Amino acid sequence: MGPLGELVDAPDGTVGAASVATRARDGLLGCVSLTSMKTASVIMAAMLVATACDSSDDANPAVGGAAGAGGTGSSTSGDGGTGATGGEGGHGGSGGGAFRPFSADSYWNKPLPADAPVDSQSALYIADAEDPNVSDSYLGLTGAPGASQSYAAPVVWSQAGDPNYTIAPDLWGPTIDVRIPLGAEPQTGTDGALWIIDRPGDQLVQLWQASFGGSSWAAASTSRYLIDSNGLDKKAAGSDEPLNDGHRGVPPTVQVVRLDEVAAGVIEHRLECYWHATGRPNTATPWFYWPMVGYEQDKGGIVPEGIVIRIKPSVDLSSKGLSPTALIIAVALQRYGCVIGDNSGGTNNRLKLELDEAAWAALDPELAGDSLQSLAWSEWEFIEGGYDPPAP
């Protein structure tokens, strides 16, 4: 099969969505790099490409790159750098598209039923989002084209032949052995974080205040979750893996909207939202809810960490004028919601995208930091704290 460049549908060499879908259906497209597709119209058709590909084919790596928003580890600020690209091919989602870790019945992978119980404090928490002191009246997208890139968290994909490093954190977290691709770079800001999908090692790793000394990696803190587990921190009730540990119970892949997921046309797990200030409204409310195992202290807010916010099931997302990528994200936020897992380090509420401004712009020229602004906070609701959805 020839390179993608031979499948030309426009003078600039881009491939139309209909052509991609047709050729994938007929078995003519073969396995291609989704980031080579240069139009937003290809996003949904890319799911057909993913199903035609052998997910273990290292010749067609899943998207690597970089992504982020502030407040990783125990810090609430940071600037982003440029991450390495590459890695093993992704597999996993129930639709056979992008890589999705953890068991199908993992808390992180279970959708919320339409009748999921609404938290008794939901109206109060929504009012907190609507507070005029919050700088944005919508959920922002850090890392979107034209938006701030400085709170970005590089995401790298390890391969079997990548160097293996033993990292004993200076402050907290497990000592880990992890493959890290040569050329990987952590954030350049104070968080200095790095996200690693080490499929050969069956693990997801996050390093905080990471640095590379030429032959070894160091980090102030580490976080590790095994891919072949249910994704719960070892200290959380129901965890099936004593090696899962870090970020107060939120696994690395929950924290980032990845390019490969959006290119596949669907995000099939809960995400993490970064709130302007977490806390609790009264002493009767816990500081955090399961499955989180801790919280960031002294932030002065009223929304507990671990609680999930979602777009109400009654909201017709097709009527909101969302860009292709924003619609994919919104569908995930309606179906799975996002856990309030950290603070944004600012006066706004945010999701974080994988850092690769050029790739996002090529995938969806309409995407911007305010792409979810048509979704008013009144169209959101908080699910009862600690709620565990039924298995799909």
Side-chain angles (χ1 to χ4, degrees):
M1 185 65 201
L4 182 65
E6 295 178 10
L7 303 177
V8 176
D9 287 73
D12 63 356
T14 59
V15 182
S19 178
V20 171
T22 300
R23 296 174 196 192
R25 179 199 66 198
D26 295 339
L28 299 177
L29 186 59
C31 221
V32 300
S33 170
L34 296 179
T35 51
S36 299
M37 302 178 189
K38 300 299 184 182
T39 64
S41 63
V42 175
I43 294 175
M44 298 306 295
M47 284 197 69
L48 290 172
V49 177
T51 59
C53 297
D54 177 359
S55 62
S56 63
D57 183 0
D58 290 346
N60 294 280
V63 179
T72 60
S74 65
S75 174
T76 57
S77 62
D79 297 317
T82 301
T85 301
E88 259 193 8
H91 82 283
S94 63
F99 167 72
R100 185 181 73 170
F102 311 135
S103 54
D105 62 353
S106 164
Y107 167 79
W108 303 108
N109 294 337
K110 292 189 293 188
L112 297 165
D115 62 352
V118 176
D119 195 85
S120 62
Q121 305 278 7
S122 179
L124 180 65
Y125 300 153
I126 292 298
D128 180 64
E130 296 172 329
D131 189 302
N133 292 318
V134 177
S135 57
D136 296 331
S137 60
Y138 52 86
L139 186 66
L141 300 177
T142 295
S148 173
Q149 305 292 311
S150 61
Y151 290 98
V155 178
V156 297
W157 297 70
S158 302
Q159 298 191 64
D162 287 327
N164 190 78
Y165 302 92
T166 299
I167 304 172
D170 298 329
L171 297 178
W172 55 82
T175 295
I176 57 174
D177 289 299
V178 60
R179 297 169 179 82
I180 303 178
L182 294 174
E185 299 178 5
Q187 295 172 318
T188 58
T190 56
D191 273 6
L194 180 67
W195 278 253
I196 305 160
I197 299 176
D198 180 10
R199 291 184 59 200
D202 186 40
Q203 62 184 342
L204 310 170
V205 171
Q206 184 191 41
L207 307 179
W208 182 66
Q209 292 191 347
S211 61
F212 183 60
S215 60
S216 63
W217 280 90
S221 71
T222 59
S223 174
R224 173 185 56 203
Y225 289 78
L226 297 196
I227 294 170
D228 188 22
S229 76
N230 67 6
L232 295 179
D233 187 285
K234 66 181 183 179
K235 297 181 287 294
S239 175
D240 66 355
E241 180 49 67
L243 294 179
N244 289 353
D245 186 12
H247 194 60
R248 302 187 297 280
V250 182
T253 48
V254 173
Q255 301 166 29
V256 182
V257 176
R258 304 193 320 266
L259 277 158
D260 65 299
E261 295 180 294
V262 173
V266 63
I267 299 169
E268 295 184 296
H269 59 83
R270 226 168 315 288
L271 293 165
E272 180 181 34
C273 281
Y274 292 71
W275 210 248
H276 67 279
T278 59
R280 61 177 180 174
N282 51 58
T283 56
T285 302
W287 289 106
F288 63 92
Y289 287 105
W290 180 92
M292 291 193 66
V293 297
Y295 69 100
E296 197 168 13
Q297 301 181 29
D298 303 321
K299 292 303 173 182
I302 65 169
V303 177
E305 294 188 33
I307 199 167
V308 171
I309 185 173
R310 73 169 174 186
I311 300 170
K312 294 177 180 178
S314 59
V315 175
D316 179 7
L317 297 176
S318 66
S319 70
K320 293 299 178 177
L322 300 169
S323 78
T325 294
L327 179 59
I328 290 169
I329 293 171
V331 168
L333 292 171
Q334 187 175 60
R335 188 177 185 210
Y336 295 93
C338 68
V339 62
I340 307 301
D342 211 334
N343 288 264
S344 69
T347 58
N348 46 29
N349 305 313
R350 313 193 68 79
L351 274 176
K352 56 183 175 183
L353 308 187
E354 183 172 358
L355 174 67
D356 194 332
E357 188 173 13
W360 284 115
L363 196 62
D364 184 354
E366 302 173 46
L367 186 64
D370 62 357
S371 285
L372 297 178
Q373 66 176 323
S374 62
L375 292 162
W377 287 117
S378 60
E379 297 176 299
W380 298 72
E381 62 187 6
F382 281 85
I383 301 304
E384 183 176 88
Y387 174 70
D388 185 14

